[in-house]
Every structure is written in structure tokens, then in C-alpha cells.
């Protein structure tokens, strides 16, 4: 290095030692190098992943460029009609309305950026998006959309449509959904015509953030903005709007039938996730006033495929000639999903349910064994866990990491949870509807909770208020189950009644939390995540339709947070098992029954792939019509 020349000054000149400057310069260079290395290391640590799919844990099953899902028949013939039934009414073809009821399958013509695989829980592959990019921190995600994607009117699906749809759901969608999403996804940004970016809040864990935005329905911005007053997302309308899916609405006769037809110009026929799917030319849904009429309609061939949810029907209603002659098939298919956590849910916003002794007493009045044997033909098993028959179910005494998780909750939980097996559904004698041992125990609990029996046989609290209990129901099948349960409650001094209302009133009262008890089934998954906030979280407990119990508990919130933060299956399983244990101890739900198979009856011209996926039968998109078999059934007179 050349030694710098001493500066000339007008007054005086002095020789300057160059070494301090040299040292300062070298220190500066070193600092710059360290800073550059730090930045480089940060960028190296924050590498951006680009992929054709996404999964929370482990590796994707299907590689980039895969031809089709394993569970489809890529050579499945196209054509024919799938006909199904629905019980009840509808008054809108807008599935997002806050008023009335949307028509069956009315959300299906809206596609999303990615879709799930039926044989691989928790994994998603590109549909409207051909790829996604995200840093290891998952602080944001970019979706690269397929330029060829089109709405049914031929207009392109763009990044602007995606951002518009996201914001529209926040502005006009369900309040419980909007409140949760706003906190977690502060911004959506258009980066280009087919490139969209979502940012995630630093205040929340990253699990399920990417899948949340990847699964959002995409609407046509231009369609909504053409008539914003009459095309609101939260208002009922019979015009479904414009989607990008394989089917479009052909006709909708209110409370009678809905028909969808194949879009001949569907953009996505050759996309790998669609190969071997969407095999019907038409999908028709026939509406019936009740389940009895619906069963008769199936027997008469008014519709031809019937996923069955009634044990009575499955056991007794399929003795007609078409079944005996093989024209109708009764199929039982394995179900690899976690059974929905079904039962009678208590509205914890009601003061009478605040005492856990009252909740336990109400549980004890239900006799599963008698109900199953006498009313359900012994076809069901009793449910105990919210994650029944899965690796997530709490069993035995807590140990290992699960015990540590519970201990960390401190005084947020009853210390007995640390040394006890999880709460199990009580057992009852099947000989008669009322198990006297359980009823005596229940009545003792109500006495302890200061609900004393009066001269009229009804229980009252210290204020003289009668312990009243209304079961709000909308189904004759459930009414049949509830009546013996109500009789047991009345024996205990509870003024219990059932109130069967029409479908529209039921929907409205459920949304407004205007009920004491309802039947409900919490959807459950093998990789639970942010959806638990809506089902059991405190934030929206007063109005969330997904949290019918109004559950709000600090221990539950803590566990949900830990589940969402889990970075491996060990941590996920430990926290879910702990949550299962805590929820069961809350006794806000009377657990009922579950099945580990799917019941499907169908006229014998439908066919399916040799190996069906465990997590979705794909009745509406993976099966197909054998036209020769259908013609033979019609020519024989078996099917009209």
C-alpha cells in the first residue's frame, strides 16, 4: 500500500503517522467483511424453498411432474350422471351467505391454489398454482399461478382475483373466520399477473398458514365488481357467480333439485391433479322433506347413489328387490380418517352449565349401550376421545413428553389430570333406557351443585330458577335418539324438552348460539392445527359457529398454541394428547358414537378404482359411470 502524503496546510505542516489510519481502515474492512458474512449466513439460513406441493411434516409422496394420483383410473370414461340426495331446504346458491341455506355442492365450482391428496393426509399439490415459494421460516409464501387457468366465462384467473377473494372473505365472510385470519395474515400482495404473495404475522406460529391461503376459494373480481350491491358474499342469491371449476350450474329449483353440468371448456382437464377425476357429465341433487322420503326416492331410482348415515336404514331399509338381485350394491369401505367427534354439545355461555357437576350429571343420563342395541342395531362403537382410534388419542396415565406438557400448565388445570387416566364415556346397562346406578350418581351431583328437587319434582337453584334444558334438533332421526335421553333427564328432575324446528330456523339459532344443547360433530384430522382455534379457542368463542360449546379456557388456548407451533410429530402428538385429556375432563359434550367404515349404497352401474384412498372415497370425482351397465338396468325395467 502506498503511504499517504502529509496534508499541506496554510499555517503549518506536520508529519502524520499513517498507522492509526491504517488500523482504523483495516478494522472497518474487517467489520464490513463480518457484516457481509453475517448477511450471507442469514440468507443461507433463510433459503427459499420452491416446490410443486407442500406438507407440514415429512416428505411429499408425489414428486414434481407426477402423472396422476395413484388412486385414480387415468383411463376412466367420461360421461353419465351422478345423482345424490339432500334432506331439507335451500334458498341460495351462494354458499357463503350469512342468511338462509346454501345449495348442496354450491361451493365446489370455486377452485383454490392447491388441493389435498386423498391418500396422504396433510399434503397439498398445485391446482390454480403450479408452484409455491417460501423461506424456511415460512414468514411468507408466493404462489406462481398457471397462466392457462380460466373462469367459466373464459376470462383468466389472475393474482388480482386471489387477493380480491382473500379480502372479500375478510370483509363479507363469517365473522369468526375473518377475525382469526386478519390477525394471522396481515397482507396479500399482487407481484405480477400470475404471482401472488401472502405475509404472515410474526405474532403467530407458522403451522397451517400456507395451507390456509392455499385452500382459499378464488372468485372472479370482475364479476363481483360489476354489480357490488347485488353480488355480496354475505347475502343469499340464486346466481352462483363465476368459478373456475369443472362444473357449472345448469339449473336450481328451490327446495327441489340442483343440477350441475360439465364445463366443456374447463381449463384444467389435463392438469396432473385432475387426471382421472371429474368423470361425470352431470351431477344432480334431489331434495327431500325428510329421510324417509329420501330413502323411498333411492329405492325408486329417483337418485342412484346414497352415502348412508342412518343405522336404522342401513340395517332395515335395504331388503328391497333391487338389492336382492344385485342391481343395488351395499358397500362398506374402510375409513382412515379420525372419526368426527360427535355428540350432544352444551352451550357453555348458559349459566346453568358453568358447574362441571351439572355437566357430568347431564352426561350420565345418556345410555349409549341401550341406544346402540335398541335403536341403532348395534352397529356403532362408543366414542371416548376427540381423536378416537388414532395416535393422537390420550390413553392411560400421562407420561413422557405428554406429562411434561401437562405439568407446564400449572394451576390452569386440575392437578388430578397428572395422575389419572383420561375421562372415559360412562358405561350403562343395555337392558333398559334408564341405568338406575348412573341416574342416582347424577342426581347426587345435582344435589351437590345446589339444584334441589321441589314439591313438583323439578330442580331449582337458590334463586328459584328451574333447571330447564332444551334440545334443539332438525332431524327426526336425532329426535328418535333424544327422546329416551330426555325421559331419563326428567326422572332426575330436569325440565328437559326437545324442540324440532325447520332447517332455516335451526341454522339461524345455531349461528346466534340460541340453544341449550345441540348435536354436533367436530371435524378431526391427523395433523390438527389452526382450525382448533375456531373450534375451542377463546378469541371468538361467543360467536364462532365452529365453537358451538362456546369453549374458552386458558389451558386449552395454551395447548392449541403449542400444537400450532409444533415442528415435529413428537411435539404435535404430545400436545394433542394433552388437549384431548383436558377437553374430555371439561365434560361439555356427551360423547355418542362413531364408525370406522363408510356406508354407501349405489345402483350397480357406478364403478370405482381398484384401490380407493383411505381418506376420501371420491364418490363425486373419482368414481365413474359404466354406460353399458346403466343401459342394461334401464332396459330391464329395474331402473327408470
Amino acid at each position: 500500500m502506498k503511504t499517504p502524503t502529509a496534508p499541506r496546510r496554510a499555517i503549518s505542516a506536520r508529519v502524520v503517522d499513517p498507522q492509526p489510519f491504517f488500523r482504523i481502515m483495516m478494522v472497518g474492512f474487517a467489520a464490513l467483511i463480518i457484516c457481509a458474512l453475517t448477511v450471507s449466513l442469514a440468507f443461507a439460513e433463510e433459503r427459499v424453498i420452491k416446490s410443486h406441493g407442500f406438507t407440514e411434516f415429512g416428505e411429499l409422496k408425489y414428486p414434481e411432474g407426477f402423472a396422476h394420483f395413484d388412486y385414480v383410473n387415468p383411463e376412466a370414461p367420461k360421461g353419465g350422471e351422478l345423482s345424490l340426495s339432500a334432506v331439507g331446504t335451500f334458498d341460495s346458491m351462494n354458499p357463503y351467505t350469512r342468511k338462509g341455506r346454501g345449495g348442496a355442492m354450491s361451493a365446489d365450482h370455486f377452485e383454490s391454489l392447491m388441493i389435498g391428496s386423498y391418500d396422504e393426509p396433510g399434503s397439498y399439490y398445485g391446482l390454480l398454482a403450479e408452484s409455491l415459494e417460501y423461506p424456511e421460516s415460512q414468514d411468507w409464501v408466493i404462489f406462481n399461478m398457471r397462466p392457462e387457468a380460466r373462469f367459466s366465462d373464459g376470462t383468466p384467473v389472475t393474482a388480482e382475483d386471489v387477493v380480491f377473494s382473500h379480502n372479500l372473505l375478510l370483509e363479507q365472510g363469517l365473522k369468526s373466520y375473518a377475525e382469526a385470519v386478519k390477525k394471522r395474515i396481515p397482507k396479500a400482495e399482487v407481484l405480477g399477473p400470475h404471482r401472488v404473495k401472502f405475509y404472515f404475522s410474526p405474532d403467530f406460529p407458522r403451522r397451517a398458514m400456507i395451507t390456509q391461503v392455499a385452500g382459499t376459494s378464488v372468485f372472479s373480481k370482475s364479476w363481483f365488481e360489476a354489480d357490488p350491491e347485488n353480488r355480496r358474499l354475505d347475502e343469499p342469491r340464486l346466481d352462483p357467480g363465476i368459478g373456475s371449476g369443472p362444473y357449472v350450474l345448469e339449473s336450481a329449483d328451490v327446495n327441489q333439485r340442483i343440477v350441475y353440468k360439465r364445463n366443456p371448456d374447463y381449463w384444467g382437464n389435463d392438469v396432473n391433479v385432475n387426471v382421472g377425476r371429474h368423470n361425470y357429465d352431470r351431477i344432480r341433487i334431489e331434495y327431500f322433506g325428510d329421510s324417509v322420503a329420501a330413502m323411498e326416492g333411492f329405492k325408486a331410482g329417483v337418485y342412484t347413489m346414497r352415502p348412508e348415515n342412518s343405522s336404522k336404514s342401513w340395517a332395515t331399509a335395504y331388503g328391497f328387490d333391487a338389492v336382492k338381485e344385485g342391481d343395488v350394491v351395499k358397500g362398506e369401505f374402510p375409513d382412515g380418517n379420525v372419526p368426527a367427534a360427535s355428540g350432544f354439545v352444551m352451550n357453555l355461555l348458559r349459566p346453568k352449565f358453568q358447574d362441571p357437576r351439572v355437566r357430568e350429571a347431564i352426561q350420565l343420563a345418556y345410555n349409549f349401550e341401550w341406544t346402540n342395541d335398541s335403536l341403532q342395531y348395534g352397529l356403532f362403537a362408543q366414542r371416548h376421545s376427540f381423536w378416537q382410534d388414532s395416535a393422537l388419542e390420550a390413553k392411560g396415565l400421562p407420561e413422557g413428553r405428554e406429562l411434561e406438557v401437562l405439568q407446564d400448565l400449572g394451576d390452569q388445570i386440575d392437578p388430578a389430570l397428572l395422575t389419572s387416566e383420561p375421562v372415559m364415556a360412562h358405561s350403562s346397562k343395555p337392558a333398559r333406557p334408564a341405568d338406575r346406578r348412573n341416574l342416582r350418581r347424577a342426581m347426587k351431583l345435582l344435589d351437590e351443585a345446589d339444584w334441589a328437587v321441589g314439591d313438583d319434582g323439578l330442580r331449582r337453584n337458590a334463586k328459584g330458577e328451574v333447571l330447564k334444558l332444551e334440545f334443539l334438533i332438525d332431524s327426526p332421526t336425532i329426535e328418535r335418539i333424544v327422546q329416551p335421553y330426555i325421559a331419563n333427564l326428567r326422572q332426575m328432575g330436569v325440565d328437559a324438552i326437545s324442540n324440532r324446528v325447520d332447517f332455516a330456523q335451526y341454522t339461524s339459532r345455531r349461528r346466534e348460539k340460541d340453544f341449550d344443547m345441540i348435536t354436533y360433530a367436530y371435524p378431526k384430522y391427523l395433523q390438527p392445527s389452526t382450525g382448533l382455534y375456531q373450534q375451542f379457542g377463546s378469541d371468538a368463542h361467543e360467536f364462532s359457529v365452529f365453537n358451538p360449546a362456546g369453549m374458552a379456557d386458558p389451558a386449552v388456548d395454551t395447548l392449541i398454541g403449542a400444537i400450532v407451533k409444533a415442528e415435529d410429530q413428537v411435539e404435535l402428538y404430545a400436545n394433542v394428547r394433552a388437549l384431548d385429556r383436558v377437553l374430555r375432563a371439561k365434560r361439555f359434550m356427551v360423547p355418542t358414537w362413531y364408525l370406522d367404515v363408510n356406508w354407501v349404497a349405489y345402483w350397480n352401474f357406478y364403478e370405482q378404482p381398484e384401490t380407493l384412498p383411505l381418506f376420501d372415497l371420491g364418490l363425486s370425482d373419482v368414481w365413474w359411470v359404466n354406460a353399458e351397465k346403466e343401459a342394461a338396468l334401464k332396459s330391464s325395467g329395474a331402473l327408470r
Side-chain angles (χ1 to χ4, degrees):
M1 175 180 282
K2 184 178 179 179
T3 304
T5 305
R8 295 177 182 270
R9 298 199 179 185
I11 299 175
S12 65
R14 59 190 176 90
V15 176
V16 179
D17 179 7
Q19 294 306 312
F21 287 90
F22 181 80
R23 286 194 292 271
I24 290 170
M25 188 178 297
M26 293 308 294
V27 170
F29 281 139
L32 286 171
I33 290 169
I34 291 170
C35 182
L37 285 171
T38 302
V39 171
S40 297
L41 286 170
F43 276 110
E45 290 173 358
E46 195 69 352
R47 81 181 170 91
V48 174
I49 300 164
K50 183 173 182 179
S51 177
H52 64 294
F54 180 80
T55 186
E56 297 284 358
F57 300 117
E59 300 293 329
L60 291 166
K61 174 181 177 180
Y62 294 97
E64 185 174 3
F66 70 95
H68 55 77
F69 290 125
D70 289 347
Y71 50 81
V72 303
N73 173 9
E75 305 300 325
K78 306 291 185 183
E81 179 185 78
L82 169 67
S83 55
L84 302 163
S85 71
V87 174
T89 61
F90 74 96
D91 56 11
S92 172
M93 289 307 294
N94 170 22
Y96 302 95
T97 179
R98 297 183 191 178
K99 303 172 184 177
R101 282 198 171 193
M105 301 180 71
S106 54
D108 287 10
H109 62 287
F110 298 115
E111 292 184 309
S112 54
L113 293 164
M114 306 183 79
I115 61 167
S117 165
Y118 295 169
D119 63 349
E120 185 187 8
S123 294
Y124 299 84
Y125 296 89
L127 179 55
L128 289 173
E130 59 188 1
S131 66
L132 71 161
E133 303 168 30
Y134 56 93
E136 290 184 324
S137 64
Q138 298 184 23
D139 287 342
W140 49 264
V141 63
I142 293 172
F143 293 98
N144 301 301
M145 301 174 64
R146 300 184 193 271
E148 68 270 27
R150 293 288 186 274
F151 289 108
S152 59
D153 66 348
T155 58
V157 183
T158 69
E160 282 198 8
D161 294 304
V162 176
V163 172
F164 170 81
S165 304
H166 171 75
N167 291 331
L168 187 65
L169 284 164
L170 298 185
E171 295 164 9
Q172 299 179 17
L174 286 174
K175 183 180 178 182
S176 54
Y177 170 88
E179 292 292 330
V181 173
K182 283 177 183 176
K183 295 175 182 177
R184 293 164 175 78
I185 307 170
K187 183 181 178 183
E189 179 182 12
V190 174
L191 301 182
H194 300 102
R195 192 167 160 86
V196 61
K197 184 175 185 179
F198 291 90
Y199 298 84
F200 303 130
S201 170
D203 299 328
F204 291 90
R206 294 290 173 259
R207 279 206 53 229
M209 292 289 200
I210 289 177
T211 55
Q212 167 78 52
V213 293
T216 301
S217 296
V218 178
F219 313 127
S220 167
K221 178 183 178 183
S222 62
W223 186 86
F224 275 93
E225 291 186 339
D227 190 1
E229 291 302 315
N230 295 311
R231 295 177 177 178
R232 288 186 60 84
L233 197 66
D234 53 359
E235 293 289 339
R237 49 182 159 79
L238 290 177
D239 187 341
I242 293 172
S244 61
Y247 295 95
V248 295
L249 180 66
E250 179 176 291
S251 62
D253 300 322
V254 173
N255 299 336
Q256 299 295 317
R257 75 180 51 80
I258 300 170
V259 181
Y260 301 97
K261 65 179 180 180
R262 184 193 302 282
N263 178 5
D265 301 317
Y266 175 51
W267 72 272
N269 284 323
D270 298 325
V271 176
N272 57 354
V273 296
N274 286 333
V275 171
R277 298 176 61 223
H278 314 308
N279 299 319
Y280 309 107
D281 280 346
R282 298 168 82 241
I283 299 176
R284 173 170 52 90
I285 301 102
E286 294 286 339
Y287 272 76
F288 296 89
D290 56 48
S291 57
V292 175
M295 184 68 231
E296 291 303 312
F298 178 73
K299 290 162 65 174
V302 175
Y303 66 97
T304 51
M305 183 178 287
R306 179 180 170 85
E308 185 59 74
N309 59 12
S310 166
S311 57
K312 181 180 180 182
S313 291
W314 195 247
T316 66
Y318 290 90
F320 53 98
D321 290 343
V323 176
K324 296 175 183 177
E325 294 168 7
D327 295 333
V328 167
V329 178
K330 280 182 70 180
E332 289 195 1
F333 302 94
D335 187 353
N337 293 291
V338 180
S342 61
F344 301 106
V345 177
M346 304 173 210
N347 182 358
L348 297 177
L349 301 180
R350 300 284 208 234
K352 59 192 161 198
F353 294 129
Q354 294 305 303
D355 193 320
R357 293 170 295 189
V358 172
R359 302 197 296 269
E360 183 176 358
I362 291 170
Q363 284 184 328
L364 286 165
Y366 176 65
N367 186 330
F368 166 79
E369 286 81 359
W370 180 87
T371 301
N372 188 45
D373 287 357
S374 302
L375 302 179
Q376 297 175 311
Y377 303 89
L379 294 173
F380 291 107
Q382 186 165 31
R383 186 181 68 76
H384 300 279
S385 165
F386 283 85
W387 282 271
Q388 186 71 40
D389 289 355
S390 76
L392 302 170
E393 178 182 353
K395 294 181 178 180
L397 297 176
E399 58 184 22
R401 181 61 185 142
E402 182 191 349
L403 178 59
E404 294 173 354
V405 166
L406 290 167
Q407 289 171 333
D408 289 343
L409 294 173
D411 59 6
Q412 290 182 340
I413 61 171
D414 183 343
L417 286 175
L418 304 176
T419 56
S420 306
E421 295 193 355
V423 169
M424 304 292 283
H426 61 274
S427 61
S428 304
K429 294 180 179 179
R432 56 178 63 89
D435 184 308
R436 293 175 183 173
R437 175 177 52 91
N438 285 336
L439 295 189
R440 284 196 297 269
R441 183 176 155 204
M443 288 187 282
K444 183 178 179 181
L445 286 167
L446 291 176
D447 291 339
E448 293 172 358
D450 295 327
W451 287 95
V453 179
D455 294 338
D456 57 0
L458 295 177
R459 290 185 178 271
R460 291 175 172 81
N461 61 13
K463 298 179 182 179
E465 298 168 334
V466 174
L467 182 53
K468 294 184 177 181
L469 182 58
E470 178 197 49
F471 284 84
L472 184 68
I473 56 180
D474 65 350
S475 161
T477 301
I478 295 300
E479 188 172 33
R480 178 169 165 266
I481 301 295
V482 164
Q483 288 302 334
Y485 185 14
I486 286 176
N488 289 345
L489 288 165
R490 296 190 71 84
Q491 283 190 52
M492 293 161 42
V494 179
D495 187 11
I497 62 169
S498 67
N499 184 9
R500 182 181 164 195
V501 298
D502 62 44
F503 299 105
Q505 186 179 354
Y506 181 87
T507 300
S508 175
R509 287 187 60 181
R510 194 170 80 82
R511 286 174 179 166
E512 298 298 323
K513 288 256 187 4
D514 181 19
F515 62 84
D516 290 334
M517 291 182 72
I518 60 170
T519 57
Y520 189 73
Y522 292 91
K524 286 288 161 276
Y525 306 101
L526 291 168
Q527 293 186 356
S529 188
T530 54
L532 293 173
Y533 283 119
Q534 288 189 305
Q535 292 182 348
F536 306 115
S538 297
D539 280 354
H541 77 281
E542 293 182 338
F543 55 82
S544 173
V545 295
F546 307 108
N547 183 358
M551 170 61 67
D553 182 84
V556 170
D557 290 340
T558 300
L559 289 169
I560 293 173
I563 289 166
V564 175
K565 290 177 184 176
E567 295 181 355
D568 57 56
Q569 285 195 335
V570 171
E571 195 66 15
L572 176 70
Y573 284 14
N575 280 279
V576 175
R577 289 169 185 152
L579 177 61
D580 185 37
R581 202 175 289 267
V582 170
L583 291 175
R584 288 156 71 174
K586 294 292 178 186
R587 297 184 180 276
F588 63 92
M589 187 179 198
V590 184
T592 52
W593 55 82
Y594 75 98
L595 271 179
D596 59 1
V597 295
N598 295 292
W599 293 332
V600 184
Y602 55 95
W603 283 80
N604 195 14
F605 61 85
Y606 292 107
E607 295 183 347
Q608 66 278 148
E610 186 175 336
T611 302
L612 285 168
L614 272 178
F615 304 106
D616 193 313
L617 291 182
L619 300 177
S620 64
D621 65 331
V622 174
W623 293 39
W624 63 88
V625 166
N626 182 315
E628 292 183 1
K629 287 184 178 180
E630 183 180 22
L633 284 170
K634 289 181 176 179
S635 65
S636 70
L639 184 64
R640 66 183 191 182

